[in-house]
Amino acid sequence: MQYLFSSASRYLSSSSSSSLTLRRFFTCSLKTMDSTEELLRKTLAEKLTLIESQGNVVRDLKSSSVTDKSALDEAIKTLNSLKLEKSSIEQQLLTTADGSSVGGVNKEVFRKNLVNTLERRLFYIPSFKIYSGVAGLYDYGPPGCAVKSNVLAFWRQHFVLEENMLEVDCPCVTPEVVLKASGHVEKFTDLMVKDEKTGTCYRADHLLKDFCKEKLEKDLSLSIEKVQELKHDLAMLDDFSPEQLGSKIKEYGIVAPDTKNPLSDPYPFNLMFQTSIGPSGTIPGYMRPETAQGIFVNFKDLYYYNGSKLPFAAAQIGQAFRNEISPRQGLLRVREFTLAEIEHFVDPEDKSHPKYSEVVDLEFLMFPRDEQMTGKDAVKLRLGDAVSNGTVNNETLGYFIGRVYLFLTRLGISKERLRFRQHLANEMAHYAADCWDAEIECSYGWIECVGIADRSAYDLRAHSEKSGTPLVAHEKFSVPKEVEKLVITPVKKELGLAFKGNQKKIVEALEAMDEKEAMEVKAALESKGEVEFQVCTLGKAVTIKSNMVSISKEIKKEHQRVFTPSVIEPSFGIGRIIYCLFEHSFYTRPSKAGDEQLNVFSFPPVVAPIKCTVFPLVQNPEYEAVAKQISRSLTAAGISHRIDITGTSIGKRYARTDELGVPFAITVDTTTTVTIRERDSKDQIRVEIEKVASVVQDVTDGVRTWADIQWEYPSHSSMSTADE
């Protein structure tokens, strides 16, 4: 939810003392740069000194009145050799500093080829393209819609069905009062700067981040100290105040990227799209920046629907909107996007999970806070060990981390390019017990795609206080317990005389006080006779006198415990996951003739936009009739497919469907059997026509693997069905 896509997500940050502690840690830890990079930079500096010195030798020899030609030739030879060594070191340093390749291909070239293929094959395109488009808005075309639909269907199966979650669908338009309670109206901001001459807006932290990364990746003459300073700035970016960020922009001479004009000082910009509800415009609202608040405000009804039992989870898939200052990086930072969010409500005194044992032995890359603070890399950890030693706060949080790992890897995300990074103290909201991001590596670096947070009871308490409706759960005792109970008794007669029509709201606010606040009010009334009391539903403070309320503690017998549940929240950025899936699935291979590179998407069958294609080997009425018969059986089985009865060569048809990520191609070359070709291996088997639909369905549903199918059916190899 708040953790995804924007530094504004950290709108309730940790205390300033913890931030100062972090600065000390980062200053300390970043003194130890990556050893390979440090050695290369030192060697390069030494080599540059030698080149300068040798250059002087050559110049002196050339200017000498008595020149020894052999000595000059030797000096020039030494200088050229040093320059070659310098170039080699620079190349190594460039590779180390910017990770400039993906699968051995330059990342810019890789990304350009990928995006070109995605747009050409209509996976997605810029919205309103014929009107020059609008930054941060994209349309999904037919294959993109199918991939997105399949990802969401798998998400529902993996989470909603597996965990018996309660799915809801809430409006995108949200009244202002809801987002005031959640903190979005006041704090959901990013820092913005403007071109002082043109007024063009930029996100301030992005400009500083881009500057630091550009210098680190491209400026090979940087000193070790300057490298450490720039890396420190990157590490502390989310913790900079507007003044600190502005100071850094001025210090580095950062200007507007397009015009090179000077920039304004940074100032906060709220990312929500504002609107009004109704024709009178008297009810302010916003397009929701997340889907979670709709679940929180419905907690009371959902709890009742669930038989008033905890734990339970509610889920929602829907559109969210953020008015990004300077959207970029395609689907990774957009103004309208799909979120899939889960709110798992649990007793704060018992965060165990009944299915925790199912994920306890999973091992994957984790990046705990301590590893980040000491400058180390992510390490492969057993999830059970991370929970038992306290690295992960509790079992339920650990369970969902494990389930997210399984979801992403089954979707097609590479295990080696997926890590779970724990939030540092300067990223954590003050109320959060723990938070981890599932980060996926792509050509843009490590991208946060899922946030998994233990948000404690903050959200339900905030809405309880603002709305006056208690969002609580109950635990009934088999035997009544004697407990010391806070008793707050408003004197309604006195409150009515003093506050008239506002009496009810003040009574509700007094009764909603927690023990700490109530005892502070009691102490103030006893010492001063009155106290200033903030009433959120009125939006102001009122003066409460000692004759208006009685506050005490009494020993009472209780038949139940009333408490506010904690929330474990996994929040999925679907567009980001899909883009990373595109990158992880994309590769090229040479055509059969070797004269061109063919694009392939290796989507797993579960997310592939089309599961199979059907085409006759040659144009033949009998083969076309068989192809249509197979198409009908696939449709009846609910398998998405394409039928192609054009006369294009079989190799070209294979290449076209490989570029769409279609896992299987069915070629009709007889009237009794057909061949089924698997996309990545290009292996083929021969299958009876009547069994085609069931074979494809078994593999796409995960009932059997392609290896199982190959074992059962005879392989096929024939020049007549030649591949690309």
Side-chain angles (χ1 to χ4, degrees), residues 31 68 92 132 227 240 380 395 463 465 504 534 660 713:
K31 285 179 181 174
D68 182 342
Q92 293 178 62
S132 302
V227 170
F240 282 150
K380 188 168 278 191
E395 275 190 14
H463 287 298
E465 182 181 345
K504 183 181 178 183
Q534 186 71 33
L660 283 172
Y713 291 93

Side-chain angles (χ1 to χ4, degrees), residues 497-518:
L497 289 171
F499 301 110
K500 306 289 190 281
N502 290 327
Q503 178 208 45
K504 183 181 178 183
K505 290 183 178 179
I506 294 170
V507 168
E508 289 172 346
L510 288 168
E511 291 176 339
M513 286 190 293
D514 60 26
E515 183 173 333
K516 181 182 177 183
E517 184 183 8

Side-chain angles (χ1 to χ4, degrees), residues 667-684:
T667 304
V668 180
D669 56 357
T670 77
T671 56
T672 56
T673 63
V674 298
T675 65
I676 301 180
R677 168 192 179 269
E678 195 272 333
R679 175 197 57 221
D680 297 312
S681 66
K682 298 193 282 188
D683 291 340
Q684 297 186 50

Side-chain angles (χ1 to χ4, degrees), residues 419-668:
R419 72 183 185 190
F420 288 80
R421 186 185 69 83
Q422 188 175 30
H423 277 207
L424 298 168
N426 66 323
E427 298 175 275
M428 292 264 285
H430 67 83
Y431 49 78
D434 197 5
C435 182
W436 293 75
D437 288 340
E439 295 183 331
I440 303 173
E441 187 183 29
C442 70
S443 63
Y444 291 107
W446 288 97
I447 302 299
E448 170 199 352
C449 293
V450 187
I452 310 120
D454 181 338
R455 296 177 54 77
S456 301
Y458 170 80
D459 302 281
L460 294 181
R461 282 182 178 149
H463 287 298
S464 293
E465 182 181 345
K466 188 71 174 176
S467 68
T469 300
L471 302 176
V472 295
H474 305 82
E475 178 193 5
K476 292 185 178 179
F477 300 141
S478 55
V479 178
K481 294 182 179 180
E482 285 193 348
V483 295
E484 187 179 49
K485 187 74 176 175
L486 175 69
V487 179
I488 301 171
T489 309
V491 182
K492 294 181 181 179
K493 179 182 176 182
E494 299 295 334
L495 290 168
L497 289 171
F499 301 110
K500 306 289 190 281
N502 290 327
Q503 178 208 45
K504 183 181 178 183
K505 290 183 178 179
I506 294 170
V507 168
E508 289 172 346
L510 288 168
E511 291 176 339
M513 286 190 293
D514 60 26
E515 183 173 333
K516 181 182 177 183
E517 184 183 8
M519 298 316 291
E520 288 172 354
V521 168
K522 176 180 170 67
L525 289 174
E526 289 175 350
S527 62
K528 301 176 183 177
E530 63 181 37
V531 65
E532 288 293 303
F533 181 67
Q534 186 71 33
V535 182
C536 291
T537 48
L538 291 178
K540 64 179 182 179
V542 298
T543 301
I544 299 295
K545 297 183 178 180
S546 55
N547 66 333
M548 296 178 180
V549 64
S550 168
I551 301 172
S552 61
K553 285 188 176 181
E554 298 177 6
I555 301 296
K556 287 191 170 185
K557 279 190 176 182
E558 284 199 343
H559 296 267
Q560 64 177 0
R561 167 178 159 247
V562 180
F563 61 93
T564 305
S566 285
V567 177
I568 310 295
E569 179 194 69
S571 179
F572 299 74
I574 298 301
R576 287 188 166 196
I577 292 171
I578 288 172
Y579 178 77
C580 291
L581 176 63
F582 287 154
E583 281 212 8
H584 286 208
S585 302
F586 186 69
Y587 69 96
T588 61
R589 62 185 175 204
S591 63
K592 188 174 182 181
D595 57 347
E596 63 176 323
Q597 290 292 317
L598 303 175
N599 299 323
V600 184
F601 281 105
S602 59
F603 298 127
V606 70
V607 294
I610 301 166
K611 308 306 181 188
C612 64
T613 50
V614 185
F615 31 69
L617 179 63
V618 293
Q619 285 186 312
N620 177 310
E622 289 186 337
Y623 290 178
E624 290 176 12
V626 171
K628 290 175 181 177
Q629 177 188 339
I630 292 171
S631 175
R632 287 192 294 272
S633 66
L634 291 169
T635 300
I639 299 169
S640 61
H641 65 282
R642 269 191 181 179
I643 183 169
D644 183 351
I645 57 175
T646 64
T648 311
S649 73
I650 196 75
K652 287 184 178 178
R653 282 185 278 180
Y654 282 154
R656 280 205 304 251
T657 56
D658 288 349
E659 198 172 49
L660 283 172
V662 181
F664 305 107
I666 300 162
T667 304
V668 180

